Amino acid sequence: MASVHESLYFNPMMTNGVVHANVFGIKDWVTPYKISVLALLYDMTASKITLPERRRLNKLILPLQQGPDLTLGQFLKTVEECCPQTAYAVKLRLHEMADGELKDMEYFFSTLPTPFTAFDSEAYKTSVVGLFMRHMLLAYNKLSFSQVYKLYKSLQHYYHSHYAKPADGTLGLTEDTVGDRIDRDELDSPLHENDSTPSRGPLSQKQAEYFLARQAYLLKNDENKALKPAALQEELNNMLKFNPDFAEAHYLNYLNNMRVQDIFLSAHSLLHYFDRLILSGNEGKSNGDEGYGRSLRYAALNLASLHCRFGHYQQADLALQEAIRIAQESNDHVCLQHCLSWLYTLEQMKGSDSTVLTEDSVKMAAHFCLPGATQGKTAHKLMDALKDTDILHWKHSLSELIEISLAQTTSIWRMYGKSTMALQQAQLLLNMSSLEPVNFGVQQNNTEAFAVALCHLAELHAEQGLYSAVSEILQHLKEQFPPHSQHAKLWMLCNLKIQFERHMNEGKYHLAEPLVTAMSALNKTEGLYRKAQVLKALNRSTEAYKILQRLQVHCEKSKCTEVVIRVMLSTAELHWESSGFSTALPLLLQALALARQHHLQSLASETILHLAFTQLMLGVPEHALSVLHEAIEPVLAHGSVIDKGRALLLTARCQMAVAGFGPNGHGQADLHLAALAVDTLNESAAYFSKLSCKERLRDVHYLQALLHRSLGQTSQCNKSAMLFRLLDQELQSPAPPVSMRL
């Protein structure tokens, strides 16, 4: 954020008892709170303090100097937590001045260590403490006698208001001080250590810079530690009341309004930010990495993103062109990469082909966008491109782009069906130390990249049935990204998908159905696909088919290949139930070709399972078993628990069919294949038990009973039959024909 210009506040010398010294060219003024800070610094230099206490106090100095004014109670409490002895000494020194006379305050300023002579203390002229003392001494020495008197009266009020009884209301001041009475609301500013509520009254330049830098940093990296939206808005309104032309405050106002999705006020604040920069006479400074030029190009980029959310594509395009022009003038490659990403997003929103933009992204060494993978690039070419750009990112310490690249790599590996690699990339991002300096005790963990990685991590754990770990990850996401925050929709959709899949696996369709509405509000495509799944499970095939056809047309137009393949598989399942298994074959072969063309291994394996099941139902189990061998290995290596169970159950059924076990258990049995089928069914039962898939466990026990009966194993047959009966009674629903279910 650009520096605050020197003429920050245009106030008279005295406002509500606070003496302003910036009218003399000094950027700070003396307040009762700053006298308390001076007393603390004096006692730190004059008294002996243990080393741990001195370290704690040294860490406290800068926030106390640059932060907003605190009440005396808050100030003493903060110091007391670090060093009770020093807090007591400060309290005594303030008591001497407040309960004494004006000459006591004069004596205190005269005894302060001079920054130009205190070579062996913290007050040396080049130190932070020395500069602060020098500013305060210069400001104090410039005051007239009447201003010094008013400062002394405000110090008395500041001190005594802390010890006044709550029932007293306000202090009883004499008639000659009524005109100089300080508004208690302005004095009683709460402690900003936890940023719970805003301060009151005008801030000095240093205080304003510190406040804006802190809040902007927290909004970017850890929104929970920033002020609440209403409190921050009140503080910014107070700041703009004293200086309406404060451009940086308008920009922070824009960020704050974006938190609560107030689009109108966000655009209003952003336009004000543009206007104030131009009024300041620095609109021509578009070159350089810092200053107004950097702020202008990123403001234009933010304006473009705002219009994208509105759906105002023409205005977004104009704002993007402006941001690109300024970024090119200043040779800002990072900004240009962000512009290219938004150009791609804009082209996708308009339904245009954005392949050229992806190729340009590779050529200019930007982060290789995920859409490049959706165009069917082979994995090794894509990873080579990512590796080349990552080298540049690390070389120039572009930490944000490194995080984006790792999050994209996680998404790409999941899209390819390599869950182990996706898990590794997500863990790499979450355990990576940020290249940016850690400010205000906050690590860089509030960005979209971290939200994406954590959502992938939650889904990967859910696929393996580790729902307790999923709950912990989602709880962390809720705390890190509150519901009103910008990236909260990511974990909301992730949470809904996990719940939906869990209910569907457990056969609780009545619980899965209400989730569809919430999912549609966040992602229309996902909502429609899940709605079709629920309708199909409820045997409402006609409605499901209409939705799937509409969804396929939409996804083919938007080139969402993954959803197109899933829709084809669901449509093939509807064909099984209606027009027969042979009619599903062309659709499955088309889906398999698409999956292989785009190197989507998980979807290719899923399609092969459907093909094998179709062949089994068409009476060619030998071909089905040979086809299954191609898919079983990647499913067991990278698939979810439900996919592993389904694949093994289908393998067992193929083995039974090849071995000669008909539906009624007659025929000459191949004992070797029968033994393999028993083991396979036991393994699939273990997977289904992990997810409480009772309907599928019922199918497994039914087949186990058939096998054991045909092999003459009466005790095992009775056990499997008993388990089947118990589950059948518990489910209280007729079991669908095993021959019609994958």
Side-chain angles (χ1 to χ4, degrees):
M1 186 170 287
S3 301
V4 183
H5 46 82
E6 291 188 6
S7 56
L8 180 58
Y9 296 111
F10 302 97
N11 304 312
M13 284 187 294
M14 179 68 66
T15 303
N16 292 327
V18 181
V19 180
H20 301 266
N22 64 331
V23 292
F24 301 103
I26 300 173
K27 300 178 183 179
D28 220 332
W29 51 77
V30 185
T31 64
Y33 165 72
K34 289 176 181 175
I35 294 176
S36 304
V37 177
L38 287 173
L40 170 65
L41 297 175
Y42 180 84
D43 284 301
M44 284 179 63
T45 57
S47 59
K48 292 183 179 180
I49 307 174
T50 62
L51 186 60
E53 291 176 335
R54 183 171 293 278
R55 285 175 178 168
R56 289 196 294 268
L57 287 172
N58 285 341
K59 290 175 68 176
L60 191 64
I61 288 174
L62 193 60
L64 287 177
Q65 288 181 14
Q66 294 186 342
D69 289 5
L70 308 177
T71 61
L72 182 58
Q74 295 163 349
F75 172 74
L76 291 176
K77 180 183 177 183
T78 306
V79 177
E80 192 172 358
E81 291 173 354
C82 298
C83 181
Q85 176 188 350
T86 305
Y88 182 72
V90 171
K91 190 187 301 182
L92 284 180
R93 194 168 298 280
L94 291 175
H95 176 75
E96 291 174 3
M97 288 186 279
D99 281 2
E101 298 177 354
L102 179 59
K103 64 180 181 179
D104 295 309
M105 188 178 73
E106 284 279 355
Y107 177 75
F108 169 72
F109 275 95
S110 66
T111 56
L112 281 175
T114 307
F116 295 97
T117 59
F119 291 100
D120 299 327
S121 71
E122 290 90 344
Y124 184 59
K125 63 181 181 180
T126 59
S127 67
V128 174
V129 173
L131 290 172
F132 177 75
M133 285 186 168
R134 182 185 177 194
H135 286 167
M136 290 298 101
L137 286 172
L138 287 173
Y140 183 77
N141 291 332
K142 290 287 186 179
L143 300 180
S144 64
F145 178 77
S146 61
Q147 292 169 348
V148 172
Y149 177 75
K150 290 178 180 180
L151 176 62
Y152 178 67
K153 284 297 180 183
S154 65
L155 176 64
Q156 284 184 318
H157 186 93
Y158 179 75
Y159 178 80
H160 290 298
S161 63
H162 171 60
Y163 295 101
K165 295 180 181 179
D168 290 342
T170 56
L171 288 173
L173 302 179
T174 58
E175 290 185 3
D176 59 338
T177 62
V178 170
D180 302 323
R181 182 179 302 172
I182 304 174
D183 187 353
R184 290 193 61 185
D185 288 340
E186 293 188 2
L187 282 175
D188 293 339
S189 55
L191 183 62
H192 260 246
E193 186 180 29
N194 295 323
D195 283 324
S196 56
T197 50
S199 64
R200 290 289 184 273
L203 303 178
S204 68
Q205 177 177 342
K206 290 292 182 184
Q207 287 176 323
E209 287 178 346
Y210 181 80
F211 175 80
L212 292 174
R214 177 182 175 82
Q215 293 302 317
Y217 186 87
L218 291 175
L219 285 180
K220 175 177 176 286
N221 295 310
D222 195 348
E223 193 175 317
N224 293 323
K225 294 185 179 179
L227 282 172
K228 300 298 181 187
L232 181 56
Q233 185 66 51
E234 192 173 351
E235 177 68 11
L236 290 170
N237 289 343
N238 183 57
M239 192 178 292
L240 291 169
K241 178 177 68 176
F242 290 96
N243 183 12
D245 294 330
F246 191 6
E248 287 75 12
H250 285 290
Y251 190 80
L252 189 60
N253 204 2
Y254 154 73
L255 295 178
N256 189 44
N257 287 317
M258 286 298 295
R259 296 165 71 188
V260 294
Q261 306 299 316
D262 192 332
I263 306 297
F264 174 76
L265 286 180
S266 298
H268 182 73
S269 299
L270 200 56
L271 292 174
H272 269 293
Y273 174 68
F274 272 115
D275 295 341
R276 267 54 187 183
L277 279 183
I278 294 172
L279 286 174
S280 65
N282 290 281
E283 70 278 7
K285 295 183 179 179
S286 59
N287 294 321
D289 294 332
E290 301 297 335
Y292 294 97
R294 186 175 189 274
S295 301
L296 269 176
R297 55 184 177 266
Y298 278 102
L301 187 59
N302 284 325
L303 189 62
S305 69
L306 201 62
H307 284 303
C308 274
R309 297 183 190 193
F310 266 133
H312 300 162
Y313 302 134
Q314 186 177 359
Q315 293 91 326
D317 189 57
L318 291 172
L320 267 177
Q321 296 303 325
E322 178 69 10
I324 291 171
R325 183 188 64 79
I326 303 175
Q328 285 175 337
E329 287 180 6
S330 56
N331 200 27
D332 187 345
H333 293 292
V334 177
C335 185
L336 285 171
Q337 289 162 3
H338 287 301
C339 290
L340 191 59
S341 298
W342 274 108
L343 268 178
Y344 177 86
T345 304
L346 186 60
E347 291 299 318
Q348 270 200 328
M349 286 180 172
K350 292 192 292 187
S352 305
D353 187 7
S354 50
T355 310
V356 178
L357 292 173
T358 309
E359 293 172 354
D360 290 342
S361 180
V362 183
K363 291 176 183 176
M364 65 177 297
H367 54 279
F368 196 89
C369 297
L370 179 59
T374 64
Q375 297 301 323
K377 303 286 185 183
T378 56
H380 70 277
K381 288 183 179 179
L382 180 59
M383 292 306 165
D384 283 344
L386 278 171
K387 180 196 70 177
D388 294 339
T389 54
D390 281 344
I391 290 172
L392 289 173
H393 295 160
W394 283 103
K395 181 179 179 181
H396 298 288
S397 299
L398 303 175
S399 59
E400 287 188 22
L401 295 180
I402 292 169
E403 292 166 6
I404 290 171
S405 178
L406 285 171
Q408 288 176 343
T409 308
T410 305
S411 300
I412 289 169
W413 280 124
R414 280 209 71 202
M415 185 183 69
Y416 283 152
K418 306 288 188 181
S419 60
T420 308
M421 293 300 298
L423 185 63
Q424 181 194 57
Q425 291 297 308
Q427 293 286 3
L428 182 61
L429 172 59
L430 296 174
N431 288 283
M432 186 185 75
S433 298
S434 174
L435 298 176
E436 290 190 356
V438 179
N439 298 323
F440 311 112
V442 175
Q443 294 285 353
Q444 188 176 6
N445 57 1
N446 199 41
T447 58
E448 185 180 10
F450 278 90
V452 170
L454 285 167
C455 288
H456 281 309
L457 208 58
E459 290 180 359
L460 288 168
H461 280 80
E463 287 177 359
Q464 303 307 316
L466 305 172
Y467 290 111
S468 59
V470 171
S471 299
E472 292 180 12
I473 295 170
L474 288 173
Q475 182 60 34
H476 176 71
L477 277 165
K478 291 174 185 178
E479 293 172 358
Q480 198 65 34
F481 303 90
H484 64 266
S485 62
Q486 183 181 359
H487 306 307
K489 290 182 180 180
L490 293 171
W491 64 258
M492 288 179 180
L493 183 61
C494 171
N495 186 24
L496 289 171
K497 286 163 67 176
I498 290 171
Q499 289 184 53
F500 181 89
E501 293 296 338
R502 186 174 186 179
H503 292 323
M504 292 294 289
N505 290 338
E506 295 174 356
K508 299 176 181 177
Y509 308 128
H510 64 287
L511 295 178
E513 195 170 7
L515 299 176
V516 172
T517 306
M519 211 176 297
S520 299
L522 296 171
N523 188 312
K524 188 177 179 181
T525 304
E526 285 287 343
L528 277 175
Y529 176 66
R530 309 290 169 168
K531 185 177 181 180
Q533 282 187 305
V534 173
L535 291 173
K536 183 164 65 70
L538 295 173
N539 296 320
R540 294 160 63 180
S541 303
T542 306
E543 297 174 58
Y545 183 77
K546 289 179 180 178
I547 291 175
L548 288 172
Q549 290 303 301
R550 189 175 59 180
L551 186 59
Q552 183 171 349
V553 172
H554 169 73
C555 292
E556 285 175 349
K557 184 179 178 182
S558 59
K559 298 184 179 179
C560 189
T561 311
E562 288 179 88
V563 182
V564 169
I565 297 172
R566 294 189 185 279
V567 168
M568 287 179 174
L569 296 180
S570 297
T571 308
E573 291 173 5
L574 291 176
H575 283 309
W576 292 344
E577 299 172 4
S578 57
S579 54
F581 291 95
S582 57
T583 57
L585 278 175
L587 203 59
L588 291 174
L589 292 173
Q590 186 182 352
L592 182 61
L594 264 179
R596 286 176 170 169
Q597 178 188 344
H598 292 83
H599 310 281
L600 307 176
Q601 182 180 285
S602 61
L603 288 175
S605 301
E606 179 79 8
T607 308
I608 290 172
L609 290 181
H610 281 70
L611 278 169
F613 179 75
T614 305
Q615 289 178 323
L616 175 64
M617 293 298 101
L618 289 174
V620 280
E622 296 84 0
H623 292 291
L625 198 57
S626 63
V627 167
L628 267 176
H629 286 310
E630 182 183 347
I632 196 72
E633 186 176 336
V635 169
L636 294 178
H638 301 285
S640 62
V641 172
I642 187 69
D643 288 339
K644 293 175 184 177
R646 289 166 63 232
L648 289 171
L649 176 56
L650 179 58
T651 304
R653 291 180 61 186
C654 290
Q655 289 170 342
M656 289 175 64
V658 172
F661 290 96
N664 298 316
H666 299 302
Q668 298 297 320
D670 186 332
L671 296 180
H672 175 68
L673 274 178
L676 284 177
V678 169
D679 294 338
T680 309
L681 283 173
N682 291 336
E683 195 173 348
S684 67
Y687 285 125
F688 291 140
S689 299
K690 196 172 184 180
L691 295 176
S692 299
C693 296
K694 294 179 182 178
E695 287 190 358
R696 296 189 180 276
L697 276 171
R698 180 170 60 180
D699 295 344
V700 171
H701 294 318
Y702 172 75
L703 293 174
Q704 284 177 328
L706 284 179
L707 260 180
H708 291 308
R709 196 184 96 183
S710 300
L711 293 173
Q713 300 169 343
T714 309
S715 60
Q716 291 93 329
C717 174
N718 291 338
K719 180 181 177 181
S720 299
M722 181 191 67
L723 291 173
F724 170 81
R725 181 173 177 79
L726 289 173
L727 283 174
D728 195 53
Q729 289 176 343
E730 182 182 347
L731 291 172
Q732 293 182 349
S733 62
V738 180
S739 61
M740 299 297 294
R741 182 172 181 154
L742 174 56

